[in-house]
Amino acid sequence: MISEKRIILKNAGRINPGKIEDYIAAGGYRSAGIALEKDETEIIDIVIRSRLRGRGGAGFTTGLKMKYTNQSGIISPGRYLICNADEGEPGTFKDRAIMENDPHLLIEGMIIAAYSIKASKAYIYLRGEYFRSNELLSGAIRQAKEHEFLGRNIFGTGYSLDIEIKTGAGSYLCGEELTLIESLEGKRGYPRIKPPFPTEKGLFGDPTLVYNVETLSNLPLIIEHGAEYFSSIGTADSAGTKIITISGDVINPGYFEVEMGVTLRDIIFELAGGIPDGRNFKAALLGGASGTFIDSTALGTPLGYDSLKSIGAVLGSGAIMVMNDQRDILKMTHSILKFFGHESCGKCVPCRIGNSVLTDGMEDIIKRRDKSRYNLDLLIYEADYMSKTSLCPLGQSPVLPLKSLKRYFEKEFRFDIK
Amino acid sequence: MNYVSISIDGKNILAWEGGNLLQVARENGFDIPGLCYHKKLTPTGACRLCVIKIKGQNGLVMSCTVTVKEGMEITAFDDELEETRRHTLDYLLAEHNDESDGTYKDELWDLAIRYNLDKRENRKYPNICRNLDYKKDISSQVLEYDASKCIKCFRCIKACEEVQGKNVLSFSERGIYSHIIAGFDKWIESECDGCGECVQLCPTGALVEKPHREEIKLYKIEKKIITTCPYCGVGCQLELLVQNGRILRSNGVEGILPNDGRLCVKGRFGFDFVHDKERLTKPLLKRNGTFTEITWDEALSLVASKFLMIREKYGNESLAGYTSAKCTNEENYLFQKFVRIVFANNNIDYCTRLCHASTVTAMLRSIGDGAGSNSIEDFELTDCLFVTGNNIIETHPVTATYIKSGKRKGQKLIVCDPKWTPLVRYADIWLQPRLGTDVALLNGMIKVILDENLTDEKFIKERVYGGTDSLEELKIAVQEYTPGQVERITNVPQDLLTEAARIYACAKTAIIATGMGMSQQVVGTNNVFALINMMLITGQIGKMHAGLCPPRGQNNVQGATDVGCSPIYYPGYIPIIDDENRKRIAALWKVRPENLSGKPGLSTVEIVNAAYDGKIKGMYIMGENPMVTDPDLNHTEKAFHKLEFLVVQDIFMTETARIADLVLPASSFAEKNGTFVNSDRRVLRVRKAVDLPGEAREDRQIIADIAEKMGYDIGNYNSESEIFDEIAKAAHIMAGISYERIDHQGIQWPCPDKDHPGTGTLFLERFNTSDGKARINPVRFVEQTEKPTERFPFILNTGRILFQYHSSTMSGKNRTLNQFANKSYILMNSSDMKKFGFSNGDTVKVWNERGELITTLRESEEVAQGELFMPWHFSESHVNNLTRNDLDPYSKIAPFKLSACKIEKIQTRES
């Protein structure tokens, strides 16, 4: 029987998230104090050595992003930290778990990250529907200011930081970092041309570090316990823990913090209690809409960025949506494609029209089955073209689930052999 | 910038480092497709057609988003790229409505043909545009939007935002349902002012001009003529599309200055007057109070005999001519030659006397040249712009686009105006002085600059006459203008005044743009002296991107004086009294020097006064409409009625033509060849696009014919080009310019020889004074004699609006422009409305001892309490019935900007 390993969510359910005193009593804000005594390059070095990778989905090495932002900001007066809390990936609610249970952990992580790039202003771009998170974070920022963890001259070090919350307005695309920045600047959420990357030219044209909530929440424990401690948790390619949010056909849906390396089977069948109503497992969608399908042959795979990649899957945001043997893969696929079509901003042609072609194609397959002028290969062909030519990750996404379907569920699309 | 070497498909190319790769590739013959890119706009990367590969980089890259770097190896064409482009194009065609009515160019369709996708059967994807319920918006006065033709390339949005600085357009909805909206929804309800930049940059038929759409077919266009806009002094280059002998469309010409394709609503939609049914087509003689048609021969003989008779009877000084800033340099040059040879006096002037005469007077005395010191693009490149008395967004809309671009890059903008103007929205500081208190305000700024030691001592020592000693007199003159005192006089808060002075003085470079608000005052010349003093002590002239620019109101107001239409100057600003020059000109004109009068002539208002006094008996007016534009119109009308003979040569029966004895039908800008000179001294070509209506004749022919009938030879020219060559000989400033040289793009004078590139910025080495140094002319504030009284409690200000132009002779003949604004009105502050019991929309009588008018009242915070504003375009309520002819003693300009008056309700607004 495996169990959770709560190092990020260690305070969840144990302290009152609305009280800074509770957080402090649990050892909170100690890390920030330690960090601010260090040189920022030392912090960057620790974070690189910890092997922490971005928890938003892309899995980029966290410390490197810090390093690039720190370096490119030499001539520019302003630098910004943005916490991406626009948690919009279907099936994902891990950031909410952190913000609603332990908002000060995020604030503390942000102090450390902002200090590492000498930013004096940080933003939390928060999903608009997260009212509870907003309330708790606003309170946490106010309390932190009162305790002089934020504001001018934090810990008497001469370093000053202000954190401001900005709420999103329901666009999936605004979770993409450059679109988020555009939105944060008060503009319509359209993706920007990349390069330049935010580390070079981000918010208001200045070097900007964009981190996911969960990524930031790892920083206090890395600073407190050291890179080696963190690196020793998890696997060779993926250090630390991951908060998994599991939904769909499981007995015990919810969030679980697990050490990297546990198997998908452990998560689905032990922590989440398996499939209800005596049904069998058919498929799981990992990482949300822009994620990948797997079948039961993949359940033994250990959790990790590279291990999942090796079986054609992604860890992504850590969402797992489980489907029992009654579920229709085709309808699920159609639903995902429709979602992309709905969320496509319309700026670039391949995504705007491609998603419409994919949705219509999938609809045609469902309706006309083997008489359809489309088939899975044709959908992948379109999605592949989209991923090569689209401006932002949204247009590059549909190919991921489609290719995983080809690998694990091709026979669902073969009406002739049924 | 450096040149770097890159290769495209194996061809080595030298390119600017940091240049746009797509642009570079296209300039080097690689026709990479692309629809969302336009060289005037920031790259968008939306259409994904310009894909390329860069060696060493993974995947496909959009060339429009790449900046050129040394050593790049580019693949622009291979099978994969072409297949990808075809795929994207096929996608675009799937949401596109292919039907075309032939009224627009369609870059998408050109690509469809190129990729063999014009035929439906070659396309892979079914057309979905019908399913999308695409919207149409035909509510605008000037354009129609059809979302089924829209490829969502952002070019219109960026045209509106980045090029014109207006930010009216955006997308509504998202994804496949996205479509363009103006403002919050309907075009007609938005702030769109009809410039049509979006239409010009639309690559498909999504945005098309509305006027003449039912008539125009691009495949029937006979000719496209590049010429210069006939409205304001920006000198925008237009391309006129002619079909069946009629102008049906006007486009901005891309890639050349001054406008680089930009136009305003008048330039793009204001050409219908050319074909208006009210154009004069026959000479008209007034008999017993009504006009009857006569032949040209009768008309010319009559003019000749009348002028000869008057000169015989009353002497050489009894004749005068008004020429026009609307006419070409060639016509104006001939006209002044006519007056000087045939009338044998210097009684020639035109409306410049009523606009920038004071500016020019002050500039000539202080720095030696009355023209703008800078180039139009400097409005963008300067670090600080001080715009005073100049509603530049409405009166020089295209110049204003450069300011908005500069502002986006961080330029500091100070606006000084008693009335709110749209530019205030962009300003860092708005100084709102009471009408007529400019000298106090500027002296206050000068005092701040002197007290805080923000002067440029090096400049003063090297470039100002008297060096730092010259400051002594100035210090005394401005001593009393402490910020507190200035606040009492002008109402401008002290801290704003101080901050404005600091910003201007400390800016690395600063340009002053001054307009009618400064010049059209009794103290107009002093106003500009004060401006120049501030500029000289801070050294904000004599270097790049710094100086003083009075944007010119009319298309050729600069040129008309350049070529000698002035009572005191020969062509090229050489004084009448210069005997040597008169001898030189006499030789050029093949007349005896003693036949050219060396006595300065009368100026515009002086001519009217002389007519009133019975000294001027006959007048020849070409293209001017003093019965709208002159101050104190009742007086002007009486003066004209006293003339024994008045001939008006015009394209319409203007208010002035109506009181003439003889009216001659003349040519519009579209019916002749010639040149205009714009506000930044650029000599620009005017080209014939259409034939003259009826028996109307070209102005230069009419002038020459009258001279001939009177027995004079004022030159025998085979073409306008030959006239220009003579101008180049007469006026040194244009000596190096010829039609050949300005065929593609204008040249800025001074251009002393044919190898000279022209001069973008004046005074870089020396000022145009005898010793090369500038002069400080200290001035003091004088209270206006015209003051609000119990009887006339309001002070009336006058000015212009975007949609009409001057006496609206031309602009008022365009349906499109009239749809925006065609009725007179007067603005009053809301607290005055309340205090005096007026309500918005009341019909009011405005009057003073000089005259009265009836108009509609509008409530507006654009004017301060106690002040009123009225545009002067509308002949149904001549605002100049109320203005004065108390002239500025130096420049003889009239104070249009300040008249005391009373306002009374005569009818409550019909509800």
Side-chain angles (χ1 to χ4, degrees):
Chain A
M1 177 78 190
I2 71 135
S3 60
E4 283 192 71
K5 183 177 177 71
R6 291 199 168 189
I7 58 175
I8 305 169
L9 293 173
K10 66 179 165 50
N11 289 337
R14 292 164 186 266
I15 64 167
N16 179 345
K19 285 180 75 178
I20 193 171
E21 294 77 11
D22 280 21
Y23 181 70
I24 294 169
Y29 286 112
R30 220 162 44 205
S31 284
I34 298 168
L36 264 56
E37 278 170 14
K38 295 183 193 294
D39 189 70
E40 69 261 25
T41 52
E42 200 183 326
I43 294 171
I44 294 168
D45 181 57
I46 295 170
V47 178
I48 290 175
R49 282 192 292 113
S50 77
R51 300 190 296 120
L52 174 63
R53 291 170 68 172
R55 299 296 196 234
F60 192 80
T61 305
T62 303
L64 282 181
K65 234 175 168 178
M66 247 180 200
K67 189 175 164 189
Y68 297 152
T69 315
N70 193 43
Q71 282 170 348
S72 59
I74 286 162
I75 20 173
S76 180
R79 287 184 224 181
Y80 297 98
L81 169 73
I82 297 172
C83 167
N84 185 348
D86 191 38
E87 190 167 47
E89 194 61 57
T92 310
F93 43 95
K94 66 187 178 70
D95 295 339
R96 192 176 118 205
I98 296 170
M99 294 184 289
E100 291 188 1
N101 284 303
D102 201 5
H104 285 285
L105 178 68
L106 175 60
I107 305 296
E108 188 170 9
M110 287 181 74
I111 295 170
I112 296 165
Y115 174 75
S116 78
I117 55 161
K118 284 275 189 288
S120 55
K121 177 91 194 183
Y123 293 91
I124 300 172
Y125 189 90
L126 181 66
R127 181 175 177 146
E129 298 89 335
Y130 279 5
F131 302 111
R132 177 82 183 133
S133 301
N134 196 346
E135 204 178 299
L136 285 166
L137 283 170
S138 303
I141 291 170
R142 198 184 55 244
Q143 292 165 8
K145 274 184 190 160
E146 284 162 12
H147 282 76
E148 295 178 356
F149 298 135
L150 287 176
R152 294 196 159 275
N153 196 17
I154 307 174
F155 296 102
T157 56
Y159 174 65
S160 304
L161 176 67
D162 178 41
I163 297 180
E164 195 179 325
I165 299 171
K166 293 274 180 186
T167 50
S171 159
Y172 173 67
L173 190 52
C174 286
E176 189 273 322
E177 62 180 7
L178 279 162
T179 314
L180 184 155
I181 288 172
E182 194 80 354
S183 169
L184 198 51
E185 286 181 3
K187 300 173 196 158
R188 181 171 173 151
Y190 278 127
R192 284 187 185 174
I193 295 165
K194 203 162 28 175
F197 292 89
T199 51
E200 202 184 312
K201 229 178 158 189
L203 188 64
F204 306 120
D206 289 327
T208 303
L209 185 58
V210 187
Y211 279 153
N212 170 261
V213 173
E214 188 183 352
T215 313
L216 285 162
S217 302
N218 273 298
L219 296 179
L221 69 102
I222 291 173
I223 296 300
E224 188 174 0
H225 301 292
E228 289 65 31
Y229 162 76
F230 187 84
S231 180
S232 69
I233 305 168
T235 66
D237 69 69
S238 307
T241 60
K242 181 81 192 79
I243 303 176
I244 298 296
T245 53
I246 188 160
S247 59
D249 299 321
V250 288
I251 289 168
N252 185 21
Y255 60 83
F256 302 96
E257 183 178 355
V258 296
E259 185 168 0
M260 292 284 196
V262 301
T263 65
L264 295 171
R265 180 176 289 111
D266 289 341
I267 297 168
I268 296 168
F269 287 92
E270 296 206 19
L271 294 176
I275 318 295
D277 307 326
R279 296 270 170 218
N280 290 320
F281 173 89
K282 179 176 187 178
L285 177 62
L286 308 183
S290 56
T292 47
F293 289 94
I294 52 148
D295 67 8
S296 56
T297 63
L299 287 174
T301 315
L303 199 66
Y305 294 99
D306 298 350
S307 50
L308 283 167
K309 201 175 165 192
S310 72
I311 60 151
V314 294
L315 174 60
S317 61
I320 301 179
M321 289 159 96
V322 178
M323 282 158 270
N324 69 26
D325 52 9
Q326 293 285 293
R327 301 290 174 185
D328 185 340
I329 289 286
L330 300 187
K331 281 185 184 160
M332 184 68 185
T333 310
H334 179 247
S335 161
I336 287 174
L337 295 173
K338 213 172 140 189
F339 171 78
F340 285 129
H342 180 255
E343 294 295 345
S344 170
C345 74
K347 180 171 176 179
C348 77
V349 177
C351 177
R352 179 174 81 232
I353 299 160
N355 276 310
S356 167
V357 169
L358 290 179
T359 317
D360 292 351
M362 196 59 222
E363 220 167 274
D364 200 58
I365 291 173
I366 291 171
K367 253 191 229 154
R368 296 153 56 91
R369 304 173 72 82
D370 53 340
K371 304 276 188 307
S372 172
R373 53 194 294 256
Y374 283 94
N375 56 43
L376 184 57
D377 287 338
L378 276 174
L379 296 186
I380 290 174
Y381 167 76
E382 296 298 337
D384 208 35
Y385 152 80
M386 286 165 62
S387 96
K388 279 194 293 188
T389 51
S390 287
L391 175 57
C392 88
L394 199 147
Q396 293 156 9
S397 292
V399 76
L400 292 167
L402 289 173
K403 277 194 169 162
S404 69
L405 287 167
K406 171 86 179 168
R407 179 164 178 156
Y408 292 104
F409 292 98
E410 195 182 9
K411 63 175 191 306
E412 301 266 339
F413 289 80
R414 294 284 299 273
F415 307 103
D416 49 338
I417 57 169
K418 262 189 187 168
Chain B
M1 276 206 289
N2 298 322
Y3 269 121
V4 293
S5 129
I6 62 169
S7 83
I8 302 180
D9 289 346
K11 183 182 166 189
N12 287 322
I13 287 165
L14 275 183
W16 288 114
E17 187 171 17
N20 183 284
L21 182 58
L22 177 59
Q23 186 67 28
V24 167
R26 284 179 175 175
E27 280 163 9
N28 283 283
F30 295 93
D31 190 13
I32 301 173
L35 294 172
C36 68
Y37 177 77
H38 190 282
K39 64 177 189 293
K40 285 203 289 194
L41 309 174
T42 57
T44 307
C47 79
R48 317 307 275 179
L49 283 165
C50 66
V51 283
I52 48 133
K53 295 173 190 164
I54 303 174
K55 195 176 172 189
Q57 277 189 36
N58 283 335
L60 306 176
V61 184
M62 302 305 137
S63 54
C64 72
T65 67
V66 175
T67 49
V68 170
K69 288 191 190 78
E70 172 66 37
M72 275 182 168
E73 289 179 44
I74 311 294
T75 307
F77 290 92
D78 68 13
D79 289 348
E80 186 195 357
L81 290 170
E82 282 293 90
E83 187 44 42
T84 307
R85 288 169 188 152
R86 198 168 191 274
H87 198 147
T88 306
L89 207 54
D90 209 345
Y91 266 17
L92 271 173
L93 289 162
E95 61 164 5
H96 187 252
N97 172 2
D98 291 351
E99 290 162 16
S100 170
D101 63 358
T103 63
Y104 53 87
K105 64 173 174 16
D106 191 343
E107 294 175 31
L108 175 63
W109 197 246
D110 293 344
L111 283 179
I113 293 168
R114 177 168 153 190
Y115 284 87
N116 202 19
L117 289 168
D118 50 327
K119 290 177 199 66
R120 280 277 168 89
E121 59 269 27
N122 292 336
R123 300 183 201 164
K124 246 167 79 182
Y125 306 97
N127 195 285
I128 50 170
C129 107
R130 301 257 171 257
N131 317 336
L132 293 171
D133 187 26
Y134 271 141
K135 309 244 181 326
K136 273 192 181 185
D137 186 344
I138 55 166
S139 65
S140 156
Q141 297 93 335
V142 297
L143 57 85
E144 297 177 334
Y145 173 67
D146 179 353
S148 74
K149 307 267 176 30
C150 178
I151 58 165
K152 290 112 183 178
C153 64
F154 286 71
R155 267 161 65 164
C156 56
I157 293 177
K158 291 191 170 187
C160 191
E161 179 187 339
E162 295 176 5
V163 180
Q164 290 277 345
K166 293 173 184 165
N167 293 299
V168 177
L169 304 184
S170 61
F171 276 115
S172 179
E173 304 193 43
R174 69 180 176 201
I176 199 123
Y177 302 102
S178 336
H179 59 271
I180 299 292
I181 56 162
F184 291 106
D185 189 12
K186 283 263 164 279
W187 224 286
I188 190 81
E189 291 160 12
S190 74
E191 289 189 331
C192 170
D193 68 6
C195 73
E197 187 78 34
C198 55
V199 178
Q200 172 138 343
L201 296 196
C202 176
T204 65
L207 286 162
V208 182
E209 292 93 339
K210 184 185 249 177
H212 308 296
R213 187 165 185 184
E214 68 294 340
E215 196 179 347
I216 195 169
K217 296 285 174 211
L218 291 186
Y219 52 86
K220 286 190 186 165
I221 293 298
E222 302 145 10
K223 49 185 170 178
K224 296 178 176 179
I225 301 294
I226 292 180
T227 190
T228 303
C229 179
Y231 286 100
C232 79
V234 176
C236 292
Q237 297 298 285
L238 312 174
E239 179 192 58
L240 300 177
L241 272 54
V242 179
Q243 178 180 318
N244 292 335
R246 290 166 62 83
I247 304 167
L248 292 185
R249 191 171 282 177
S250 160
N251 298 319
V253 182
E254 300 281 352
I256 54 171
L257 289 173
N259 53 318
D260 191 13
R262 311 165 195 204
L263 294 178
C264 77
V265 64
K266 295 190 290 289
R268 198 179 297 277
F269 299 107
F271 52 78
D272 287 355
F273 74 89
V274 171
H275 304 296
D276 193 88
K277 58 183 186 321
E278 287 179 31
R279 278 290 298 274
L280 298 174
T281 55
K282 290 210 157 155
L284 299 170
L285 177 67
K286 195 181 272 164
R287 287 193 180 115
N288 305 323
T290 51
F291 283 110
T292 48
E293 292 177 359
I294 58 170
T295 67
W296 267 106
D297 200 50
E298 288 167 332
L300 294 169
S301 302
L302 181 71
V303 182
S305 63
K306 285 282 185 185
F307 282 161
L308 286 171
M309 186 269 291
I310 289 169
R311 207 182 59 185
E312 183 70 20
K313 202 166 150 192
Y314 303 104
N316 278 356
E317 303 293 318
S318 61
L319 291 165
Y322 268 10
T323 182
S324 174
K326 303 248 65 79
C327 292
T328 63
N329 290 319
E330 292 71 7
E331 291 158 352
N332 277 308
Y333 175 79
L334 269 194
F335 194 94
Q336 60 90 34
K337 191 173 174 184
F338 173 92
V339 169
R340 294 191 160 116
I341 294 176
V342 181
F343 289 175
N345 62 34
N346 291 303
N347 293 338
I348 172 168
D349 207 353
Y350 66 110
C351 65
T352 188
R353 192 64 46 201
L354 306 173
C355 72
H356 266 311
S358 50
T359 317
V360 171
T361 304
M363 288 175 76
L364 283 170
R365 288 197 193 183
S366 304
I367 53 180
D369 250 316
S373 59
N374 297 74
S375 233
I376 190 164
E377 63 273 27
D378 290 341
F379 281 85
E380 177 175 336
L381 300 172
T382 187
D383 295 304
C384 170
L385 197 67
F386 186 81
V387 180
T388 174
N390 189 348
N391 178 7
I392 203 163
I393 285 186
E394 295 199 74
T395 57
H396 305 85
V398 170
T399 304
T401 64
Y402 286 89
I403 301 176
K404 295 176 203 166
S405 298
K407 190 66 206 142
R408 266 204 306 280
K409 294 180 195 158
Q411 178 181 89
K412 288 283 179 192
L413 178 61
I414 303 164
V415 174
C416 177
D417 211 303
K419 178 187 171 288
W420 183 93
T421 77
L423 192 67
V424 171
R425 268 190 240 159
Y426 301 82
D428 294 283
I429 291 185
W430 175 29
L431 307 171
Q432 190 185 16
R434 285 196 302 122
L435 280 167
T437 60
D438 305 274
V439 170
L441 179 89
L442 291 163
N443 275 355
M445 288 177 71
I446 291 170
K447 182 165 169 58
V448 171
I449 291 165
L450 290 170
D451 287 353
E452 300 190 2
N453 262 331
L454 305 175
T455 52
D456 182 341
E457 256 190 60
K458 184 165 179 283
F459 177 88
I460 297 167
K461 274 184 193 146
E462 290 170 6
R463 308 284 308 264
V464 177
Y465 177 78
T468 40
D469 293 346
S470 67
L471 293 182
E472 292 314 310
E473 204 192 328
L474 183 66
K475 278 180 187 161
I476 296 164
V478 301
Q479 198 169 15
E480 62 192 279
Y481 302 96
T482 60
Q485 178 63 10
V486 173
E487 179 167 347
R488 277 187 289 280
I489 300 173
T490 65
N491 273 350
V492 171
Q494 317 184 17
D495 51 338
L496 274 191
L497 177 91
T498 310
E499 199 188 337
R502 286 176 188 154
I503 290 175
Y504 175 80
C506 300
K508 231 165 96 191
T509 57
I511 286 179
I512 297 171
T514 177
M516 302 297 96
M518 293 290 277
S519 63
Q520 290 178 337
Q521 295 189 29
V522 177
V523 292
T525 306
N526 278 355
N527 284 342
V528 182
F529 274 138
L531 263 183
I532 295 173
N533 292 344
M534 180 173 80
M535 173 177 79
L536 290 177
I537 61 168
T538 50
Q540 294 291 20
I541 192 168
K543 57 188 178 190
M544 293 298 284
H545 316 317
L548 175 59
C549 297
R552 296 305 205 242
Q554 302 217 44
N555 53 331
N556 201 32
V557 71
Q558 181 67 52
T561 317
D562 293 347
V563 301
C565 294
S566 159
I568 53 169
Y569 292 121
Y570 267 112
Y573 299 90
I574 305 168
I576 297 288
I577 49 173
D578 182 334
D579 293 336
E580 279 312 302
N581 182 62
R582 226 168 45 252
K583 276 183 205 150
R584 185 181 72 91
I585 295 291
L588 181 68
W589 290 353
K590 302 189 181 72
V591 294
R592 290 218 297 273
E594 57 272 27
N595 288 357
L596 294 178
S597 167
K599 183 184 157 200
L602 299 176
S603 67
T604 302
V605 179
E606 288 175 326
I607 289 172
V608 171
N609 288 342
Y612 190 84
D613 296 339
K615 288 175 191 148
I616 296 286
K617 291 291 186 183
M619 272 191 80
Y620 180 8
I621 298 181
M622 173 173 81
E624 286 267 290
N625 192 8
M627 279 308 300
V628 177
T629 59
D630 273 19
D632 196 355
L633 287 178
N634 294 331
H635 172 80
T636 305
E637 183 167 2
K638 280 179 205 147
F640 284 143
H641 279 307
K642 290 190 176 183
L643 293 172
E644 287 191 12
F645 186 67
L646 171 63
V647 54
V648 171
Q649 174 177 321
D650 211 308
I651 61 173
F652 286 109
M653 183 57 78
T654 62
E655 290 76 359
T656 309
R658 271 186 218 124
I659 60 166
D661 299 291
L662 179 67
V663 179
L664 302 175
S667 53
S668 80
F669 84 108
E671 292 142 5
K672 58 198 171 192
N673 291 306
T675 53
F676 294 152
V677 185
N678 76 345
S679 290
D680 59 351
R681 299 167 275 105
R682 215 177 287 268
V683 183
L684 300 158
R685 274 304 312 272
V686 176
R687 293 183 179 87
K688 182 179 162 83
V690 292
D691 290 331
L692 285 153
E695 293 176 22
R697 288 186 180 177
E698 285 189 30
D699 297 68
R700 75 171 177 95
Q701 189 197 340
I702 303 171
I703 304 165
D705 287 349
I706 294 173
E708 197 191 322
K709 283 273 183 198
M710 292 176 74
Y712 289 89
D713 173 16
I714 59 163
N716 191 9
Y717 309 96
N718 292 314
S719 68
E720 295 78 6
S721 168
E722 286 181 13
I723 304 177
F724 192 88
D725 292 342
E726 188 177 309
I727 296 173
K729 285 185 188 127
H732 299 301
I733 51 174
M734 295 185 191
I737 304 176
S738 64
Y739 275 26
E740 201 186 349
R741 284 195 71 191
I742 56 170
D743 189 49
H744 173 61
Q745 184 162 199
I747 294 177
Q748 289 166 284
W749 67 253
C751 176
D753 60 68
K754 68 177 174 43
D755 299 316
H756 194 282
T759 309
T761 310
L762 297 179
F763 317 126
L764 289 178
E765 305 293 325
R766 65 190 301 279
F767 292 98
N768 201 19
T769 50
S770 51
D771 56 8
K773 297 206 170 186
R775 302 286 191 282
I776 288 175
N777 293 281
V779 287
R780 283 191 164 83
F781 169 69
V782 188
E783 276 289 349
Q784 298 283 326
T785 49
E786 181 97 346
K787 282 180 191 165
T789 59
E790 218 163 289
R791 201 163 157 232
F792 301 116
F794 281 97
I795 294 290
L796 173 68
N797 181 9
T798 68
R800 294 190 274 148
I801 61 171
L802 173 67
F803 303 104
Q804 290 294 344
Y805 185 76
H806 286 199
S807 63
S808 65
T809 310
M810 287 157 43
S811 60
K813 305 284 192 308
N814 296 278
R815 209 175 136 248
T816 313
L817 298 180
N818 286 341
Q819 282 175 338
F820 282 100
N822 70 341
K823 286 237 157 28
S824 95
Y825 58 84
I826 192 162
L827 301 183
M828 185 188 278
N829 186 291
S830 60
S831 31
D832 283 339
M833 301 268 290
K834 233 177 261 161
K835 191 164 140 196
F836 294 94
F838 290 106
S839 41
N840 205 13
D842 284 350
T843 305
V844 290
K845 184 171 104 172
V846 188
W847 62 283
N848 61 20
E849 53 221 334
R850 292 175 289 273
E852 63 173 60
L853 58 86
I854 289 174
T855 187
T856 309
L857 187 64
R858 277 197 204 168
E859 179 175 329
S860 169
E861 304 315 308
E862 294 181 15
V863 291
Q865 280 185 49
E867 296 179 4
L868 303 168
F869 175 85
M870 196 171 163
W872 58 272
H873 308 292
F874 305 103
S875 58
E876 78 268 16
S877 4
H878 283 312
V879 67
N880 282 328
N881 286 341
L882 309 179
T883 52
R884 291 171 292 155
N885 59 6
D886 295 346
L887 303 187
D888 171 33
Y890 306 107
S891 65
K892 312 286 160 58
I893 199 166
F896 293 98
K897 297 294 182 189
L898 199 150
S899 321
C901 64
K902 186 170 174 65
I903 178 163
E904 289 170 327
K905 190 186 324 192
I906 57 172
Q907 196 187 332
T908 307
R909 181 188 164 191
E910 298 153 33
S911 48

